[in-house]
Amino acid sequence: MEFTTWPQVNMINQKNYYTEFLKQDDQALAVRLQQEERLNARKKAAVDIDRARAQAAQDGVPYAERDADLDDDVAMDDADGEDYGSKTIVIHIGSQNMRIGLATDALPKTIPMVIAKRSTRSESEDSEPLPKRVKLDGPSEEWFGEEFAREYNTMAQDFKTMRRHNKRRVLPNSRELVTKWNSATPPEMIPEHSDPMRIDWTELPDNAKAAQDHIVGHAALRIPEKSKPRYRLFWPIQHGWLNEKDYNNRNMLEHDFFLIIEDSIRNELGLNHKREWAQYSCVFIIPDLYEKVMVTRVLDELLRDFSFQRVCFIQESLAATFGAGVGAACMVDMGAQKTSISCVEDGMIIEDSRINLKYGGYDVTEAFVRMMLFDRFHYSDFNLMRRHDYLLAEELKAQFTTMSDEDISVKLFDFHLRAHGQQTRKYNFKIYDESMLAPLGFFRPTIFDQSRKLIGRHTIMPRSVDLYNGRPNDPLSKAQIAVYTFVNQFIPSAVSAPPAQSAQFLSTSTPVRRPLALPSHLNGDTDGTPRSSPAGSPAPEDGSTPHPTGDDANGDDIAEIKDIQPDTDVIDRAVPIMPLEQAILISIQHAAGTGPESERRRRDLLGSIMCIGGASKTPYLGAYLEMRLRAAFPQFPREILVVPPPRELDPAVLVWKGGSVFGKLRMTNDSWIGRLEYDRLGSRILNYKCIWHW
């Protein structure tokens, strides 16, 4: 007798079984919906043709047959005609600015990525002054610590050596002339009614209860410091990440982030009613090395709360190639607080070449202010946390910084300090080499302050992890791991102290001297390079799995990176920084690979390096970068070429322009994510819709 009436299922023969689950295109919802959409378009086109033929026969006129076959997708989905893209919103988020507009717009609207919220105290009253003063009771040379003084003096000495090498005149007492003048020249007071360039501050109602709860963009930066009621500024994006340092709550951080986007759509694009948004599509531009939690959260918000008809994502470097109209290039995107480098070929980003460095134009601004204060700048109360000082610093950087040593000499300049409720102060000041040493930080990033860039990291925003093994699965390229390796060996100031329970990370390998002191991957030597998982997979939690390493390839001051294998803990504690020319060479080398086409690909990429982003507009930056690259890689003296964006396009909006071009292409139909697909599959739809490996 059987013990139960339940039917018993025999075990499957492990040697002979087969399944077709998700092995055919029509079994995937995303592909099936695309096929149905194309079929419906063909049916509609066929009905239109039959109707046109019947109308022509009724009118007694011959019907002009179409050149295109019904099986072709040419113009089948061209329902909008020449205005295709007028219902597509393109959004590019940055740490300092957001660029937004319709795909048919020639240029985007640029809005500061900042929100002012009612508070009891402003940000300058609640925070210590920036640049951070280490010591205030001594001379200005001691304000920022011994490390900054040593780096600054070393850079100044190297700069003198370079000028002598270039046959430039060098005065021995240039620094003394600057410090003496700046410390002894007081400002000139100008009454506000006599200042024709006075600032239009944001007007607030006399009744505090009638004041707005939040103000976004340019108006937020023009709120007086001591306004009634008080407002505090928040920047939801910092260094390309969500700003976890200034927020204590994830919901509030995400709320401010999307509130800036929502207000910009209403005020800048004129779409005041959300019921209109259901007719619009959205192209959202994300970093090359993105965070999956952020991308999935943006997708959910745009489809559910914003109610867009459909959404698609494109990476920054790929969008830049669309904007520049090139098929293959090494894109160097220099933003306000991050610099990303990626090699693009045939419309795809080479995954192993992606690099994200945490410095940009704002670091140059802060370094420029520190250098002027170091040289006894008379406005010693300079504080970047104050709104008018921040705007002034950005203006001074844009006006005086340069990368041409031909323009460097002791010169007299002036600027006007305008603060709400105060008389305008006119300062006369002298500068010497500060205007070039500050942007030289791109090639010597140790001059930048790295102490605040990792504060609060992953404290309120969870990290995306693999569902099966629990390991982080955000994309991490081999070139980016090489940057972390460089930081761990040569820039200890950019690595925070390990937790008490973590063991100290040590290296036991011995460096190997190589020809020209170049790294192994720059010489084609890959035998000793440990292999890792494919690009896009994360570094494991332990340090037992080998990972690729990188090397320092500087021209004048070449150092070698030991074969360190950083684990996840070390990566979380290190700020990814590296001299710009070295990072470009490492990115190109990882993009070239080791196959038979590697040499040709390397030469092509070296000859198509393009600097974009707002920080790339520093005068003569491209020429100086080209000189540094040729010094670091003398094997290719003629192939190396740094080119500006074509057609005189503004490099700051080139990525957005590429996103608008991408949004108008018919080929992007396969990357659009609709509401039906997202409701059924959730964020899993990104595996089918992204045009890169998700």
Side-chain angles (χ1 to χ4, degrees), residues 668-681:
T668 59
N669 286 341
D670 294 344
S671 62
W672 289 111
I673 301 174
R675 181 65 180 270
L676 175 62
E677 300 163 296
Y678 184 72
D679 287 342
R680 295 188 180 181
L681 296 180

Side-chain angles (χ1 to χ4, degrees), residues 535-638:
S537 60
E541 296 291 347
D542 54 21
S544 58
T545 304
H547 293 278
T549 59
D551 300 74
D552 182 4
N554 194 9
D556 300 326
D557 186 15
I558 298 176
E560 294 184 356
I561 296 180
K562 300 178 183 178
D563 295 330
I564 293 182
Q565 301 171 2
D567 58 7
T568 305
D569 176 66
V570 174
I571 290 177
D572 289 339
R573 293 188 289 106
V575 180
I577 59 174
M578 175 182 277
L580 184 59
E581 79 279 10
Q582 301 177 34
I584 294 174
L585 293 178
I586 288 179
S587 175
I588 291 177
Q589 184 57 37
H590 280 92
T594 58
E597 295 291 325
S598 61
E599 190 67 19
R600 177 197 60 80
R601 185 179 299 174
R602 182 185 296 110
R603 291 177 181 271
D604 292 343
L605 293 174
L606 286 173
S608 57
I609 300 172
M610 186 176 296
C611 289
I612 60 176
S616 68
K617 294 193 288 186
T618 304
Y620 302 101
L621 177 63
Y624 186 84
L625 174 60
E626 186 175 305
M627 180 191 69
R628 294 288 293 248
L629 287 170
R630 290 178 177 175
F633 218 8
Q635 297 95 324
F636 301 97
R638 297 182 179 179

Side-chain angles (χ1 to χ4, degrees), residues 340-353:
S340 60
I341 305 169
S342 295
C343 296
V344 184
E345 187 178 36
D346 296 332
M348 292 293 292
I349 295 178
I350 303 175
E351 293 183 343
D352 285 341
S353 68

Side-chain angles (χ1 to χ4, degrees), residues 89 166 178 216 247 339 356 383 446 497 515 543 582 623 634:
I89 299 174
N166 294 338
V178 171
V216 170
Y247 285 87
T339 298
N356 193 309
N383 182 9
T446 50
Q582 301 177 34

